[in-house]
Structures are given as C-alpha cells and as structure tokens.
C-alpha cells in the first residue's frame, strides 16, 4: 500500500507542477520601458540550419555591417549553444513607423555569391533579438485557425522563373518588421511584447548612379510605395547589386509584458503528452502489480517457510533465494569500477532532479538564453560532493581502504570519456569555421570548473563518506564461493539485461521524441511538468523491473546480482541510442558527414549519461531489495 500511495502522491504532485509550468515563469530580464522616439537596437544572432546543425555568426555572410561590430556579453550556456549576439544597422525609434529604410548596397563578388548560395541551399535562418525577444515569422495555419511562430527567417530561397527549368537562388533583402508593444495609459511608456518579420526578395531599382541620397523606384516612402510581394525577386549571382531595405510597423497589443513569451511557448500537442503519460503509467501499474505479488505473496510465503524450519535436516534442505545467503553480498568483480559508476550516477541524478525543480518553478525559462545549460553544468560540478560520498560508502562496504583512488577515478572517469568525444566533435566544428566551436576562454572555464571545483568536491565527499562506519550486511559471507548451477536460457545474463531495458525505455520514448525535436529542429521545449512526471515514472520503472529480475535471478541460485542490477535498467540507454538512430533517418534531413558525426557523437554522450543514471537507480533499488529480504529471514 505504501508503494501505491507514493505513486498516487507523485502523480498529484506532478500534475500540480504541470499547472505551475504552464502558468508561471520568470521572463529572464527586468522589463524596460520605452518612451515614444526612444532608440531600439536590434541585435543579430547566429545563423542556424536544421540540415547541418552547424551555427554561424551573422557576419560570416557579407551582410551590411556597422563600422564596429560589438559582441554582447554571453553566459556559459549561450557560448556552448553557439550563440554570437552582435550589434546591427537595424535601428528603430519607438512607435515611429518607418518605410523603405535603406541599410546598404552590396555588389557580390564570386566568393560572396557562393557563400550566400551555400547558406540558402542548406536552408539557414537568420536570428535577431529585440529587447531579449527573438525574431519570429508568423505563419497562419488555416486547418486549425491558429498562428504558429518560426524562429528567424530564411536567408533566401530556391526557385525557377516561369518557363525555365534552371534553378536560381534568391535572397531575402527586404524585411517588414512588426514590433508589438503594450502601452501604459498613465505614463505613456510602452513595453515590447512581440517582434515579428515578413521577409521579401525584391530586385530594387533606382535611377542614375547610387549614392546616399538615391531614391528607390521599387520602394519609396515619399510616394507611399512599399514592398508587398516578391514578384520581382533578387537573384544571387556574381556582380549582382543587392540593396538591403526594411520597414517597421508598430502595433499596440493587449498582451502584458509578463505574458509576452506565452505565444512562443504555446504547446499544441498536450493530448500526445497525456497519451505518453497514460502509456507510461500502464507500464508502471503492470510492474507494480508484479512487485506487489512478489513482495506480498511469494516473499511472505518464503520468509514464513524459512523462519518456521524446526529441524536441522529441514534447514539443510534450503532452496531458492535463501540458499545463496552466504554469497549474495560477496564483493563483485571490478567492484571499484562499480563504485565509480554508482557515484557518477548519483551525481547525474542530483543534477537532473534539481534542474527539474528549478525548471518547473520557471527559473529556467527559454527567455533566459543558455540558462538551462549553464544551470546543468554548475549543478553537475557541485553534485560532485554527493558522487564522492556515494562511491566511497559503497567502496568501504566492499572492505576497500584506498579511498583516494576511488575518489580520483570518480572525479575523472566519466568527464574524461565525455571530454574526449567532445574534443573530437569540437575539432570538427572548428574545422567548419562554425560559431558552435567552443572558444579557448570557454574551454579554460570548463576545465577550471572540472579540476578547480568538481574534483575537490568529489574528494571532500569521499573523505566524509570514508569516515562514516561501513555499511553492515544483514548476513555473513562465506569464505568459499558457492558454485552457481546451470541457468535456464531465459536467465542468461545478456538476455535478461536486454529485456530489462525495454520497459524503462518504453515509459519515456514518446516524450523523448519531443525532446529530440526541440534539440535538433530548433524548437522551444517548455513542458517541464510533463517531463518531471515522466522522470518520476522512469525512476519507478527502473526500480521495479530491476527488483523483479533480481528476485528471479536469486531464486535460480545466481548470486551475481551487483553488476546485473546496474546493467538491467542501464540497458535502456541502448534502446535510446537505437531510437536516436531511427529518428535521424526518419525525421532529420542531415546529408553532410560532419553534421551526421556531430549528431551521433552528441547522442552517444546523451545515451552514456542515460545509462549511468538509470543503471544507478536500478542498482540502488536492487541493493535495498536484497538487504530487505535477507534481513527478514533467520540465518543459522
């Protein structure tokens, strides 16, 4: 009954968090009031493409640039995401519409034309920011009578002239901006609540020679003639002259500043998420039924039978899981490595749990760019304290004495393997001259966080854990290990481990689809309430499937449960990676080798982390279970 109460309580608590996550968030910056005529500085961000997954700086293309390009201050998460926020020549005046403003005139050489064509062919999008709001393109969906927003606008498009089969490249050189504002009636000040654009490709025309005072015939504010379509598009070819222009329209809005991100974070697929939750809960109920049957019926009967033995002859006829009581707590092979992985799993678990709590309370809103990644990195570093404590406590239980060795391996093993993969991927990104390459200064900061903070904290936690009394096992371990009888085919370690990972993966794979979509298709993910509930379900599923398979293993007189309990739920990471492979071939349009290597490299890191977390959950569940059942029987 306690298990059922915990499930119900977790579900109700998570439903409350879902409501919180949909109704409250911190916008990320303090509101800024603008008076009529105040200057509004538009900042440009990276160029992004879902086809290459390689971001580039805005000025990597020969766009109009100011005399001095200034970089904005960025947090650690923004730099790692490849954000490069810089100033631009797009300057507005609050609530003063502008028409056909000329930014600059560019004549393309062969190199510039080639660069534009490559970015257009790879479907790159231009990202801009105004008052911390990203630029979006509104798209009206007639089937649902709904407006959806796409981040950024395409550099250009490919097309053909009527009557021609030759494919041409056209650039979006005219931008029709719409700035939405919420006005304060008392003070006449206003706050920006929306930043939209409609891009056009227009071959601008003018008379005479070009100079600063030249008036366009295709877009003239004096004649009230503005751009409304792309019927005469601007080609991208060598020696082509491109004139960049923009309009600005201001619209008053009823949306208040505190709610301005609601349109960006609107999720229209709640029903699918609820289906995911129901699917996961069915798996949990199935496993809970099996665990309840084992705990309440089978184990109760076994323990009663074992404790009611009256004669020595009966005691010698032990069968089932009691038979291996003298070996069940024998230290496994490579016990040091198991301690390290358990400690690392605790570090990850703590990081994920605290991040989830902050996210559902609104502290990690997408409006705070890079906040989520920064928080995860810092939490990972500080959770090193618990990693060292957990690994050393287990190590001391195995009669280990060199706690410094375990502390060092806990602090180094996982980060070093991930760093090696990351270094290779970063080299590839750097070779592509992408803004996603981590700069030297940021790399130094990451190394400092690792060796300057995380490693010392792991050692502190290990010291505290080693000073604690060793965990006492409920039964004594025999000096000579018992021979394990031949096992049935379905109890083969490889088979049971692979079977054990299916259900935890099945509990999360629907939500996994939305997470992968947000990461690789450049979309917002802000349903942390659903995610937290799925995380709780994952914990329960990993624990229960490991307990069930561990019980069957002990009943078949196989006492080598330590590593198998870790691998049983940890094998769900294999299915995660296989699903990521399936997602790559069915949902993504990546064709370049470097982009494919980046995808599988990062998904390998994610799967490795998932293995460590789920494996640790399964291990502790099985550890608790074995201690519980063997402390409940009388051992002569």
């Amino acid at each position: 009954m306690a298990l059922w109460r915990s499930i119900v309580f977790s579900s109700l608590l998570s439903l409350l968090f879902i409501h919180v996550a949909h109704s409250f968030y911190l916008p990320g910056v303090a509101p800024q009031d603008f008076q009529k005529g105040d200057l509004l500085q538009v900042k440009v961000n990276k160029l992004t493409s879902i086809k290459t997954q390689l971001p580039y700086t805005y000025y990597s293309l020969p766009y109009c640039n100011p005399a001095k390009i200034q970089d904005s201050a960025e947090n650690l998460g923004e730099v790692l995401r490849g954000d490069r926020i810089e100033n631009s020549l797009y300057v507005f005046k609050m609530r003063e519409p502008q028409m056909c403003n000329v930014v600059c005139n560019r004549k393309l050489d062969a190199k510039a034309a080639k660069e534009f064509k490559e970015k257009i062919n790879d479907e790159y999008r231009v990202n801009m920011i105004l008052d911390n709001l990203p630029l979006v393109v509104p798209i009206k969906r007639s089937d649902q009578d709904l407006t959806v927003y796409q981040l950024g606008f395409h550099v250009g498009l490919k097309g053909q002239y009527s009557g021609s089969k030759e494919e041409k490249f056209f650039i979006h050189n005219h931008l029709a901006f719409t700035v939405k504002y919420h006005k304060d009636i008392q003070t006449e000040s206003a706050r920006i609540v929306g930043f939209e654009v409609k891009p056009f490709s227009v071959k601008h025309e003018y008379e005479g020679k070009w100079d600063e005072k030249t008036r366009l015939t295709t877009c003239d504010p004096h004649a009230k003639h503005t751009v409304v379509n792309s019927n005469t598009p601007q080609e991208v070819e060598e020696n082509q002259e491109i004139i960049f222009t923009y309009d600005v329209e201001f619209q008053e809005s009823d949306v208040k500043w505190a709610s301005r991100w609601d349109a960006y974070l609107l999720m229209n697929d709640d029903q699918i998420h609820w289906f995911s939750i129901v699917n996961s809960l069915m798996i949990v109920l199935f496993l809970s039924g099996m665990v309840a049957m084992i705990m309440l019926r089978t184990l109760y009967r076994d323990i009663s039978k074992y404790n009611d033995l009256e004669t020595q002859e009966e005691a010698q006829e032990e069968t089932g899981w009691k038979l291996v009581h003298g070996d069940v707590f024998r230290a496994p092979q490579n016990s040091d490595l198991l301690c390290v992985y358990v400690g690392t799993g605790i570090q990850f678990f703590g990081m994920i749990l605290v991040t989830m709590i902050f996210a559902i309370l609104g502290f990690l809103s997408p409006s705070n760019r890079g906040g989520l990644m920064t928080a995860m990195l810092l939490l990972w570093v500080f959770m090193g304290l618990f990693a060292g404590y957990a690994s050393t406590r287990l190590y001391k239980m195995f009669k280990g004495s060199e706690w410094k060795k375990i502390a060092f391996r806990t602090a180094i093993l996982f980060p070093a393997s991930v760093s090696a993969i990351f270094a290779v991927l970063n080299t590839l990104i750097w070779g592509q001259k992408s803004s996603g390459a981590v700069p030297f200064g940021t790399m130094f900061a990451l190394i400092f966080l690792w060796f300057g903070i995380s490693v010392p904290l792991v050692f502190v936690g290990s010291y505290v854990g080693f000073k604690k009394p060793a965990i006492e096992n409920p039964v004594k371990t025999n000096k000579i290990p018992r021979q394990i009888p031949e096992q049935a085919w379905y109890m083969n370690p490889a088979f049971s481990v692979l079977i054990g990972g299916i259900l935890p993966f099945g509990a999360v794979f629907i939500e996994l689809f939305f997470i992968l979509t947000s990461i690789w298709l450049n979309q917002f993910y802000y349903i942390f309430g659903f995610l937290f509930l799925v995380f709780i379900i994952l914990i329960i599923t990993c624990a229960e499937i490991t307990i069930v398979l561990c019980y069957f293993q002990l009943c078949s007189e196989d006492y080598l449960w330590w590593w198998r309990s870790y691998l049983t739920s940890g094998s769900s990471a294999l299915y995660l990676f296989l699903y990521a492979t399936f997602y790559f071939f069915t949902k993504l349009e990546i064709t370049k080798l470097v982009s494919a290597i980046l995808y599988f490299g990062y998904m390998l890191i994610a799967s490795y982390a998932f293995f460590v977390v789920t494996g640790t959950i399964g291990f502790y569940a099985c550890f608790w279970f074995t201690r519980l059942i063997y402390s409940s029987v009388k051992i002569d």
Side-chain angles (χ1 to χ4, degrees):
M1 291 301 294
L3 177 63
W4 287 104
R5 283 198 298 271
S6 66
I7 295 173
V8 172
F9 176 73
S10 299
S11 301
L12 292 175
L13 188 63
S14 301
L15 288 174
L16 173 63
F17 285 151
I18 290 171
H19 175 73
V20 170
H22 277 289
S23 60
F24 171 74
Y25 60 84
L26 300 179
V29 292
Q32 188 171 357
D33 295 321
F34 297 96
Q35 299 295 332
K36 186 174 181 179
D38 284 354
L39 287 180
L40 304 177
Q41 298 284 346
V42 176
K43 296 182 180 180
V44 292
N45 200 351
K46 60 188 176 184
L47 308 173
T48 56
S49 168
I50 60 175
K51 291 185 70 174
T52 69
Q53 303 297 334
L54 291 168
Y56 288 90
T57 61
Y58 177 81
Y59 294 114
S60 64
L61 287 178
Y63 278 118
C64 308
N65 59 281
K68 183 180 180 182
I69 299 175
Q70 297 177 331
D71 293 326
S72 299
E74 296 169 343
N75 59 43
L76 183 60
E78 285 179 300
V79 176
L80 293 176
R81 278 163 30 105
D83 287 346
R84 298 295 182 269
I85 303 172
E86 298 160 317
N87 59 327
S88 76
L89 290 174
Y90 294 97
V91 181
F92 311 153
K93 289 187 178 180
M94 187 64 178
R95 290 155 59 192
E96 292 184 5
Q98 301 175 39
M99 184 186 295
C100 298
N101 269 24
V102 177
V103 185
C104 76
N105 182 319
R106 281 275 190 269
K107 191 167 185 178
L108 301 183
D109 55 19
K111 181 183 177 183
K114 180 184 177 184
E115 289 174 344
F116 270 123
K117 285 181 179 181
E118 287 177 349
K119 296 297 186 290
I120 293 172
N121 191 54
D122 289 332
E123 298 180 9
Y124 270 86
R125 305 180 75 93
V126 178
N127 294 281
M128 296 183 177
I129 300 169
L130 178 64
D131 191 35
N132 201 47
L133 272 182
L135 180 67
V136 293
V137 177
I139 299 175
K140 190 77 173 178
R141 293 180 61 174
S142 56
D143 57 332
Q144 298 182 1
D145 191 26
L146 187 70
T147 300
V148 295
Y149 297 96
Q150 289 187 346
L151 287 174
F153 63 91
H154 282 110
V155 173
L157 57 123
K158 294 185 292 184
Q160 299 168 343
Y161 289 114
S162 58
S164 173
K165 293 185 178 179
E166 184 181 0
E167 192 171 54
K168 296 286 186 179
F169 292 85
F170 305 99
I171 187 171
H172 285 137
N173 60 321
H174 179 84
L175 305 176
F177 293 106
T178 300
V179 179
K180 295 184 177 180
Y181 64 93
H182 182 77
K183 188 177 178 182
D184 189 318
I185 301 176
Q186 295 180 340
T187 62
E188 289 295 316
S189 63
R191 293 175 177 176
I192 296 172
V193 295
F195 187 32
E196 302 174 1
V197 70
K198 289 182 180 178
F200 297 96
S201 179
V202 182
K203 185 174 178 58
H204 285 301
E205 297 177 355
Y206 58 91
E207 297 176 353
K209 291 186 177 181
W210 178 264
D211 59 37
E212 294 181 358
K213 297 181 180 179
T214 300
R215 287 171 59 174
L216 301 174
T217 57
T218 49
C219 184
D220 189 354
H222 301 283
K224 302 297 182 183
H225 178 52
T226 187
V227 176
V228 293
N229 56 52
S230 298
N231 290 340
T232 55
Q234 174 64 61
E235 274 189 49
V236 178
E237 292 292 345
E238 185 179 356
N239 296 324
Q240 281 279 351
E241 184 181 40
I242 301 178
I243 300 172
F244 292 90
T245 57
Y246 69 93
D247 301 333
V248 184
E249 178 189 4
F250 289 87
Q251 289 182 2
E252 189 169 357
S253 173
D254 294 330
V255 177
K256 294 184 178 180
W257 185 87
S259 304
R260 66 179 186 165
W261 275 86
D262 288 356
Y264 294 81
L265 305 177
L266 180 64
M267 299 293 174
N268 302 312
D269 38 32
D270 284 0
Q271 289 183 344
I272 301 176
H273 291 283
W274 280 116
F275 173 76
S276 169
I277 299 299
V278 172
N279 167 67
S280 303
L281 283 175
M282 292 301 292
I283 295 174
V284 168
L285 292 176
F286 169 71
L287 285 174
S288 298
M290 292 188 67
V291 171
M293 183 177 67
I294 290 172
M295 298 290 285
L296 300 178
R297 295 185 59 186
T298 311
L299 267 179
Y300 180 77
R301 185 183 66 234
D302 288 349
I303 292 171
S304 298
K305 182 178 71 174
Y306 292 153
N307 289 340
D308 289 342
L309 295 177
E310 296 180 356
T311 65
Q312 186 67 23
E313 291 77 10
E314 288 177 310
Q316 291 175 353
E317 294 176 1
E318 293 176 352
T319 58
W321 55 268
K322 187 184 178 184
L323 192 63
V324 295
H325 67 82
D327 298 278
V328 74
F329 292 106
R330 185 181 305 280
Q333 290 184 341
N334 298 316
S335 59
D336 291 5
L337 186 62
L338 179 64
C339 296
V340 170
Y341 269 106
V342 168
T344 304
I346 289 295
Q347 188 173 7
F348 253 115
F349 183 83
M351 178 199 75
I352 294 172
L353 185 63
V354 177
T355 301
M356 289 269 194
I357 293 173
F358 276 105
I360 58 181
L361 292 177
F363 290 99
L364 299 177
S365 165
S367 60
N368 182 13
R369 281 182 309 277
L372 180 64
M373 188 173 293
T374 303
M376 291 178 70
L377 277 172
L378 293 178
L379 284 171
W380 161 266
V381 167
F382 290 111
M383 287 297 166
L385 187 71
F386 299 97
Y389 181 83
S391 60
T392 309
R393 287 284 284 158
L394 190 62
Y395 176 70
K396 190 172 183 179
M397 190 189 78
F398 290 144
K399 305 295 188 290
S401 58
E402 300 179 12
W403 67 270
K404 293 180 181 178
K405 180 183 72 174
I406 290 297
F408 179 76
R409 293 177 67 181
T410 303
I412 296 298
L413 181 63
F414 182 87
S417 55
V418 170
S419 297
I421 300 173
F422 181 75
V424 173
L425 298 179
N426 195 58
T427 303
L428 291 174
I429 299 173
W430 178 78
Q432 296 292 313
K433 299 179 181 179
S434 168
S435 64
V438 178
F440 176 77
T442 306
M443 194 71 77
F444 178 79
L446 292 174
I447 293 173
F448 172 76
L449 287 174
W450 179 11
F451 288 100
I453 301 178
S454 180
V455 172
L457 285 177
V458 171
F459 273 87
V460 170
S462 295
Y463 176 79
V464 174
F466 196 73
K467 287 297 181 183
K468 291 274 187 179
I471 300 172
E472 294 292 333
N473 294 322
V475 291
K476 292 182 179 180
T477 302
N478 296 334
K479 293 183 179 180
I480 302 175
R482 178 186 180 85
Q483 186 173 356
I484 299 173
E486 186 176 349
Q487 300 293 302
W489 66 269
Y490 52 84
M491 290 307 297
N492 181 276
F495 180 79
S496 61
V497 162
L498 290 175
I499 289 295
I502 293 176
L503 289 179
F505 171 75
V508 301
F509 87 96
I510 297 179
E511 203 64 32
L512 180 64
F513 169 81
F514 293 99
I515 295 173
L516 291 178
T517 299
S518 68
I519 294 173
W520 299 108
L521 296 183
N522 198 26
Q523 297 179 11
F524 284 123
Y525 184 91
Y526 194 63
I527 39 178
F528 293 113
F530 280 113
L531 187 61
F532 185 78
L533 183 52
V534 170
F535 181 61
I536 296 295
I537 291 172
L538 176 66
I539 295 173
I540 297 172
T541 308
C542 287
E544 290 182 343
I545 189 63
T546 309
I547 288 174
V548 169
L549 293 180
C550 181
Y551 175 74
F552 291 152
Q553 179 185 350
L554 293 175
C555 286
S556 62
E557 302 177 15
D558 183 355
Y559 53 83
L560 302 177
W561 62 271
W562 297 95
W563 272 110
R564 198 187 294 192
S565 65
Y566 196 99
L567 297 174
T568 295
S569 53
S571 65
S572 56
L574 173 63
Y575 298 102
L576 187 153
F577 189 78
L578 292 176
Y579 180 77
T581 304
F582 170 79
Y583 184 87
F584 177 85
F585 288 107
T586 58
K587 298 296 181 183
L588 299 182
E589 300 177 7
I590 294 176
T591 55
K592 294 187 177 181
L593 178 62
V594 172
S595 301
I597 293 174
L598 290 179
Y599 175 84
F600 285 106
Y602 285 127
M603 290 313 303
L604 180 63
I605 293 174
S607 300
Y608 187 21
F610 194 73
F611 164 75
V612 171
V613 174
T614 53
T616 300
I617 294 170
F619 170 81
Y620 272 112
C622 196
F623 183 61
W624 167 82
F625 173 74
T626 51
R627 290 180 60 83
L628 177 68
I629 63 174
Y630 283 100
S631 62
S632 301
V633 295
K634 298 176 182 177
I635 305 295
D636 295 328

